[in-house]
Amino acid sequence: MPQRTRAWFRRFLGILLILGSILPIGRLLAVDRQKRVLVLYSTRRDSQIVAVGDRELPRAFERGLSMTVDYYSESIDQARFYQTDYERAFQSFLSLKYTGMPFDLVVAMSDISLEFVAHHREALFPSTPVVFFATDGSTRRLANSTGIISELSLAGTIALATELQPEVRQVFVISGVSDANKVYEETAR
């Protein structure tokens, strides 16, 4: 995992631990029963962020809460399945899979995941606190939520890359067809 990604991920984990100890989310999760946490990723299940998150987030929660956590994660996989019908089907899937299992916390690990939670919160997680990580500076915070907004800086990333590898002369941007990918492509131009 790139050093920059590890750095923001460590910051995010640290903030989750701090928030868990000082905010109402911490008080909510501090009740004696085992807590249920759902993490929503926008990427494929086999992406690096999911692998690291699924390994480290349960440990971070358990250290912060001094108890085991009933940890669940789901991948929206928006890059491969971007159709509106898929979003509705994914919402139905979560509703069916987690019927009768209220979560104590939902973690949205991207703008896409946060947008999904915003659209389907009433049906899926009506009173569940949300912690999020987003990169869009215009992200609107949901009620009963907190998170980190770390704006995307492609120019800063390229500047760092050329500083670390001064021999780089060309940069290629590979993009998909989803709306999110189009935004990245426009930003890169």
Side-chain angles (χ1 to χ4, degrees), residues 111-174:
D111 300 288
I112 293 165
S113 299
L114 184 60
E115 188 175 311
F116 177 85
V117 170
H119 288 143
H120 303 286
R121 190 174 193 183
E122 282 306 309
L124 295 171
F125 329 106
S127 60
T128 305
V130 174
V131 173
F132 64 87
F133 173 77
T135 57
D136 183 353
S138 64
T139 297
R140 87 176 163 82
R141 196 175 140 229
L142 305 175
N144 198 18
S145 74
T146 190
I148 297 172
I149 300 172
S150 178
E151 290 190 57
L152 180 65
S153 171
L154 295 179
T157 301
I158 291 170
L160 176 62
T162 55
E163 187 175 317
L164 295 172
Q165 296 183 352
E167 69 280 1
V168 169
R169 296 290 174 249
Q170 294 180 326
V171 175
F172 296 89
V173 176
I174 300 170

Side-chain angles (χ1 to χ4, degrees), residues 36-46 49-55 57-58 61 69-76 90 93-94 97-98 101 103 105-107 109:
R36 289 188 192 114
V37 175
L38 173 65
V39 178
L40 289 174
Y41 298 96
S42 62
T43 58
R44 301 165 48 131
R45 166 110 354 249
D46 61 351
I49 186 69
V50 177
V52 173
D54 283 354
R55 182 185 68 231
L57 285 172
F61 285 124
V69 171
D70 199 5
Y71 178 89
Y72 300 85
S73 71
E74 298 290 346
S75 295
I76 298 170
F90 188 72
F93 164 75
L94 292 179
K97 182 175 182 178
Y98 297 115
M101 292 180 57
F103 289 100
L105 180 66
V106 171
V107 179
M109 290 297 290

Side-chain angles (χ1 to χ4, degrees), residues 111 135-136 152 154 173 175-189:
D111 300 288
T135 57
D136 183 353
L152 180 65
L154 295 179
V173 176
S175 184
V177 296
S178 71
D179 290 341
N181 284 309
K182 290 176 185 173
V183 169
Y184 290 139
E185 183 180 346
E186 289 170 14
T187 301
R189 289 184 189 275

